[in-house]
Structures are given as C-alpha cells and as structure tokens.
PDB file of all heavy atoms in Angstrom:
ATOM      1  N   PRO A  26       2.039 132.004 162.532  1.00 88.00           N
ATOM      2  CA  PRO A  26       3.376 132.033 161.922  1.00 88.00           C
ATOM      3  C   PRO A  26       3.882 130.602 161.779  1.00 88.00           C
ATOM      4  O   PRO A  26       3.293 129.670 162.350  1.00 88.00           O
ATOM      5  CB  PRO A  26       4.201 132.821 162.942  1.00 88.00           C
ATOM      6  CG  PRO A  26       3.551 132.518 164.248  1.00 88.00           C
ATOM      7  CD  PRO A  26       2.072 132.441 163.943  1.00 88.00           C
ATOM      8  N   PRO A  27       4.976 130.395 161.038  1.00 84.00           N
ATOM      9  CA  PRO A  27       5.536 129.046 160.909  1.00 84.00           C
ATOM     10  C   PRO A  27       6.027 128.509 162.254  1.00 84.00           C
ATOM     11  O   PRO A  27       6.339 129.274 163.172  1.00 84.00           O
ATOM     12  CB  PRO A  27       6.715 129.249 159.955  1.00 84.00           C
ATOM     13  CG  PRO A  27       6.443 130.540 159.261  1.00 84.00           C
ATOM     14  CD  PRO A  27       5.711 131.388 160.239  1.00 84.00           C
ATOM     15  N   GLY A  28       6.103 127.206 162.348  1.00 78.00           N
ATOM     16  CA  GLY A  28       6.672 126.580 163.537  1.00 78.00           C
ATOM     17  C   GLY A  28       5.645 126.165 164.567  1.00 78.00           C
ATOM     18  O   GLY A  28       4.450 126.053 164.281  1.00 78.00           O
ATOM     19  N   THR A  29       6.131 125.948 165.781  1.00 77.00           N
ATOM     20  CA  THR A  29       5.270 125.495 166.879  1.00 77.00           C
ATOM     21  C   THR A  29       5.598 126.292 168.143  1.00 77.00           C
ATOM     22  O   THR A  29       5.777 125.726 169.222  1.00 77.00           O
ATOM     23  CB  THR A  29       5.470 123.984 167.137  1.00 77.00           C
ATOM     24  OG1 THR A  29       6.875 123.719 167.340  1.00 77.00           O
ATOM     25  CG2 THR A  29       4.977 123.150 165.972  1.00 77.00           C
ATOM     26  N   GLY A  30       5.688 127.617 167.985  1.00 80.00           N
ATOM     27  CA  GLY A  30       6.158 128.458 169.080  1.00 80.00           C
ATOM     28  C   GLY A  30       5.087 129.110 169.929  1.00 80.00           C
ATOM     29  O   GLY A  30       3.944 128.653 169.998  1.00 80.00           O
ATOM     30  N   ASP A  31       5.473 130.230 170.559  1.00 81.00           N
ATOM     31  CA  ASP A  31       4.643 130.918 171.542  1.00 81.00           C
ATOM     32  C   ASP A  31       3.261 131.293 171.023  1.00 81.00           C
ATOM     33  O   ASP A  31       2.262 131.135 171.719  1.00 81.00           O
ATOM     34  CB  ASP A  31       5.340 132.203 172.013  1.00 81.00           C
ATOM     35  CG  ASP A  31       6.442 131.922 173.015  1.00 81.00           C
ATOM     36  OD1 ASP A  31       6.467 130.804 173.565  1.00 81.00           O
ATOM     37  OD2 ASP A  31       7.272 132.810 173.248  1.00 81.00           O
ATOM     38  N   GLU A  32       3.204 131.837 169.791  1.00 84.00           N
ATOM     39  CA  GLU A  32       1.937 132.315 169.268  1.00 84.00           C
ATOM     40  C   GLU A  32       0.908 131.191 169.209  1.00 84.00           C
ATOM     41  O   GLU A  32      -0.249 131.350 169.601  1.00 84.00           O
ATOM     42  CB  GLU A  32       2.115 132.921 167.877  1.00 84.00           C
ATOM     43  CG  GLU A  32       3.004 134.161 167.854  1.00 84.00           C
ATOM     44  CD  GLU A  32       4.449 133.845 167.519  1.00 84.00           C
ATOM     45  OE1 GLU A  32       4.917 132.754 167.907  1.00 84.00           O
ATOM     46  OE2 GLU A  32       5.102 134.679 166.870  1.00 84.00           O
ATOM     47  N   ILE A  33       1.345 130.038 168.707  1.00 90.00           N
ATOM     48  CA  ILE A  33       0.428 128.907 168.550  1.00 90.00           C
ATOM     49  C   ILE A  33       0.024 128.366 169.911  1.00 90.00           C
ATOM     50  O   ILE A  33      -1.159 128.080 170.160  1.00 90.00           O
ATOM     51  CB  ILE A  33       1.087 127.806 167.694  1.00 90.00           C
ATOM     52  CG1 ILE A  33       1.477 128.376 166.328  1.00 90.00           C
ATOM     53  CG2 ILE A  33       0.159 126.616 167.539  1.00 90.00           C
ATOM     54  CD1 ILE A  33       2.248 127.435 165.458  1.00 90.00           C
ATOM     55  N   LEU A  34       0.983 128.242 170.797  1.00 89.00           N
ATOM     56  CA  LEU A  34       0.689 127.735 172.132  1.00 89.00           C
ATOM     57  C   LEU A  34      -0.289 128.660 172.862  1.00 89.00           C
ATOM     58  O   LEU A  34      -1.227 128.201 173.514  1.00 89.00           O
ATOM     59  CB  LEU A  34       1.980 127.600 172.936  1.00 89.00           C
ATOM     60  CG  LEU A  34       1.884 126.863 174.276  1.00 89.00           C
ATOM     61  CD1 LEU A  34       1.390 125.443 174.065  1.00 89.00           C
ATOM     62  CD2 LEU A  34       3.236 126.857 174.974  1.00 89.00           C
ATOM     63  N   THR A  35      -0.091 129.968 172.723  1.00 88.00           N
ATOM     64  CA  THR A  35      -0.966 130.939 173.377  1.00 88.00           C
ATOM     65  C   THR A  35      -2.411 130.768 172.934  1.00 88.00           C
ATOM     66  O   THR A  35      -3.336 130.696 173.753  1.00 88.00           O
ATOM     67  CB  THR A  35      -0.511 132.377 173.059  1.00 88.00           C
ATOM     68  OG1 THR A  35       0.770 132.591 173.640  1.00 88.00           O
ATOM     69  CG2 THR A  35      -1.486 133.397 173.623  1.00 88.00           C
ATOM     70  N   VAL A  36      -2.624 130.688 171.623  1.00 90.00           N
ATOM     71  CA  VAL A  36      -3.993 130.598 171.106  1.00 90.00           C
ATOM     72  C   VAL A  36      -4.633 129.262 171.441  1.00 90.00           C
ATOM     73  O   VAL A  36      -5.797 129.202 171.859  1.00 90.00           O
ATOM     74  CB  VAL A  36      -4.011 130.839 169.585  1.00 90.00           C
ATOM     75  CG1 VAL A  36      -5.407 130.591 169.020  1.00 90.00           C
ATOM     76  CG2 VAL A  36      -3.580 132.272 169.268  1.00 90.00           C
ATOM     77  N   THR A  37      -3.892 128.176 171.272  1.00 91.00           N
ATOM     78  CA  THR A  37      -4.473 126.860 171.533  1.00 91.00           C
ATOM     79  C   THR A  37      -4.788 126.648 173.009  1.00 91.00           C
ATOM     80  O   THR A  37      -5.675 125.862 173.356  1.00 91.00           O
ATOM     81  CB  THR A  37      -3.544 125.739 171.038  1.00 91.00           C
ATOM     82  OG1 THR A  37      -2.227 125.915 171.570  1.00 91.00           O
ATOM     83  CG2 THR A  37      -3.470 125.712 169.522  1.00 91.00           C
ATOM     84  N   GLN A  38      -4.089 127.355 173.891  1.00 90.00           N
ATOM     85  CA  GLN A  38      -4.388 127.257 175.310  1.00 90.00           C
ATOM     86  C   GLN A  38      -5.488 128.235 175.733  1.00 90.00           C
ATOM     87  O   GLN A  38      -6.073 128.088 176.802  1.00 90.00           O
ATOM     88  CB  GLN A  38      -3.128 127.516 176.141  1.00 90.00           C
ATOM     89  CG  GLN A  38      -2.099 126.398 176.052  1.00 90.00           C
ATOM     90  CD  GLN A  38      -0.858 126.669 176.886  1.00 90.00           C
ATOM     91  OE1 GLN A  38      -0.490 127.822 177.111  1.00 90.00           O
ATOM     92  NE2 GLN A  38      -0.219 125.613 177.356  1.00 90.00           N
ATOM     93  N   THR A  39      -5.754 129.232 174.888  1.00 91.00           N
ATOM     94  CA  THR A  39      -6.742 130.256 175.221  1.00 91.00           C
ATOM     95  C   THR A  39      -8.097 129.973 174.597  1.00 91.00           C
ATOM     96  O   THR A  39      -9.140 130.199 175.217  1.00 91.00           O
ATOM     97  CB  THR A  39      -6.251 131.647 174.749  1.00 91.00           C
ATOM     98  OG1 THR A  39      -4.970 131.907 175.327  1.00 91.00           O
ATOM     99  CG2 THR A  39      -7.213 132.742 175.165  1.00 91.00           C
ATOM    100  N   LEU A  40      -8.099 129.475 173.344  1.00 94.00           N
ATOM    101  CA  LEU A  40      -9.334 129.195 172.635  1.00 94.00           C
ATOM    102  C   LEU A  40      -9.610 127.697 172.589  1.00 94.00           C
ATOM    103  O   LEU A  40      -8.685 126.885 172.622  1.00 94.00           O
ATOM    104  CB  LEU A  40      -9.260 129.715 171.196  1.00 94.00           C
ATOM    105  CG  LEU A  40      -9.085 131.213 170.977  1.00 94.00           C
ATOM    106  CD1 LEU A  40      -9.075 131.509 169.482  1.00 94.00           C
ATOM    107  CD2 LEU A  40     -10.164 132.014 171.675  1.00 94.00           C
ATOM    108  N   GLN A  41     -10.873 127.346 172.493  1.00 95.00           N
ATOM    109  CA  GLN A  41     -11.254 125.959 172.246  1.00 95.00           C
ATOM    110  C   GLN A  41     -11.388 125.785 170.729  1.00 95.00           C
ATOM    111  O   GLN A  41     -12.475 125.958 170.160  1.00 95.00           O
ATOM    112  CB  GLN A  41     -12.570 125.612 172.950  1.00 95.00           C
ATOM    113  CG  GLN A  41     -12.462 125.435 174.458  1.00 95.00           C
ATOM    114  CD  GLN A  41     -12.434 126.769 175.203  1.00 95.00           C
ATOM    115  OE1 GLN A  41     -13.334 127.594 175.052  1.00 95.00           O
ATOM    116  NE2 GLN A  41     -11.411 126.987 176.019  1.00 95.00           N
ATOM    117  N   LEU A  42     -10.275 125.454 170.091  1.00 97.00           N
ATOM    118  CA  LEU A  42     -10.279 125.320 168.637  1.00 97.00           C
ATOM    119  C   LEU A  42     -11.164 124.146 168.207  1.00 97.00           C
ATOM    120  O   LEU A  42     -11.211 123.105 168.863  1.00 97.00           O
ATOM    121  CB  LEU A  42      -8.862 125.106 168.113  1.00 97.00           C
ATOM    122  CG  LEU A  42      -7.895 126.281 168.220  1.00 97.00           C
ATOM    123  CD1 LEU A  42      -6.511 125.855 167.763  1.00 97.00           C
ATOM    124  CD2 LEU A  42      -8.377 127.463 167.390  1.00 97.00           C
ATOM    125  N   ASP A  43     -11.842 124.329 167.065  1.00 97.00           N
ATOM    126  CA  ASP A  43     -12.655 123.255 166.500  1.00 97.00           C
ATOM    127  C   ASP A  43     -11.897 122.497 165.418  1.00 97.00           C
ATOM    128  O   ASP A  43     -12.187 121.327 165.165  1.00 97.00           O
ATOM    129  CB  ASP A  43     -13.940 123.838 165.896  1.00 97.00           C
ATOM    130  CG  ASP A  43     -14.820 124.479 166.953  1.00 97.00           C
ATOM    131  OD1 ASP A  43     -15.434 123.733 167.732  1.00 97.00           O
ATOM    132  OD2 ASP A  43     -14.867 125.723 167.018  1.00 97.00           O
ATOM    133  N   ALA A  44     -10.940 123.172 164.780  1.00 98.00           N
ATOM    134  CA  ALA A  44     -10.206 122.517 163.700  1.00 98.00           C
ATOM    135  C   ALA A  44      -8.852 123.176 163.496  1.00 98.00           C
ATOM    136  O   ALA A  44      -8.657 124.348 163.821  1.00 98.00           O
ATOM    137  CB  ALA A  44     -11.011 122.570 162.400  1.00 98.00           C
ATOM    138  N   ALA A  45      -7.932 122.394 162.944  1.00 97.00           N
ATOM    139  CA  ALA A  45      -6.610 122.898 162.563  1.00 97.00           C
ATOM    140  C   ALA A  45      -6.321 122.434 161.146  1.00 97.00           C
ATOM    141  O   ALA A  45      -6.391 121.230 160.858  1.00 97.00           O
ATOM    142  CB  ALA A  45      -5.541 122.389 163.520  1.00 97.00           C
ATOM    143  N   ILE A  46      -6.039 123.387 160.269  1.00 97.00           N
ATOM    144  CA  ILE A  46      -5.679 123.082 158.882  1.00 97.00           C
ATOM    145  C   ILE A  46      -4.175 123.219 158.759  1.00 97.00           C
ATOM    146  O   ILE A  46      -3.614 124.302 158.927  1.00 97.00           O
ATOM    147  CB  ILE A  46      -6.376 124.046 157.898  1.00 97.00           C
ATOM    148  CG1 ILE A  46      -7.890 124.079 158.147  1.00 97.00           C
ATOM    149  CG2 ILE A  46      -6.058 123.659 156.463  1.00 97.00           C
ATOM    150  CD1 ILE A  46      -8.563 122.749 158.008  1.00 97.00           C
ATOM    151  N   ILE A  47      -3.500 122.117 158.468  1.00 95.00           N
ATOM    152  CA  ILE A  47      -2.042 122.094 158.353  1.00 95.00           C
ATOM    153  C   ILE A  47      -1.668 122.171 156.875  1.00 95.00           C
ATOM    154  O   ILE A  47      -2.099 121.341 156.078  1.00 95.00           O
ATOM    155  CB  ILE A  47      -1.445 120.801 158.958  1.00 95.00           C
ATOM    156  CG1 ILE A  47      -2.123 120.441 160.291  1.00 95.00           C
ATOM    157  CG2 ILE A  47       0.054 120.936 159.096  1.00 95.00           C
ATOM    158  CD1 ILE A  47      -1.885 121.407 161.405  1.00 95.00           C
ATOM    159  N   VAL A  48      -0.883 123.179 156.525  1.00 93.00           N
ATOM    160  CA  VAL A  48      -0.530 123.399 155.121  1.00 93.00           C
ATOM    161  C   VAL A  48       0.868 122.866 154.849  1.00 93.00           C
ATOM    162  O   VAL A  48       1.820 123.156 155.581  1.00 93.00           O
ATOM    163  CB  VAL A  48      -0.586 124.900 154.769  1.00 93.00           C
ATOM    164  CG1 VAL A  48      -0.279 125.112 153.286  1.00 93.00           C
ATOM    165  CG2 VAL A  48      -1.958 125.481 155.115  1.00 93.00           C
ATOM    166  N   THR A  49       0.978 122.082 153.785  1.00 90.00           N
ATOM    167  CA  THR A  49       2.276 121.561 153.369  1.00 90.00           C
ATOM    168  C   THR A  49       2.418 121.751 151.871  1.00 90.00           C
ATOM    169  O   THR A  49       1.536 122.296 151.202  1.00 90.00           O
ATOM    170  CB  THR A  49       2.440 120.085 153.762  1.00 90.00           C
ATOM    171  OG1 THR A  49       3.792 119.677 153.535  1.00 90.00           O
ATOM    172  CG2 THR A  49       1.496 119.180 152.983  1.00 90.00           C
TER     173      THR A  49
END
C-alpha cells in the first residue's frame, strides 16, 4: 500500500528482500 507503514515494515522485517522498485 502507499506510505511507509505497518505492512511494509512487517514484510521487510520478515523477508530478505532482494530488490525494491519505487514508483513515482
């Protein structure tokens, strides 16, 4: 979802992400 809230924090702390695509 938009922003930098709970959903994003949950996933980034749970998974070892390889990449992040930031859309503007």
Side-chain angles (χ1 to χ4, degrees):
T29 54
D31 282 344
E32 296 95 327
I33 302 174
L34 190 60
T35 295
V36 174
T37 52
Q38 289 180 332
T39 304
L40 298 182
Q41 286 80 56
L42 291 175
D43 296 287
I46 307 301
I47 317 294
V48 183
T49 189

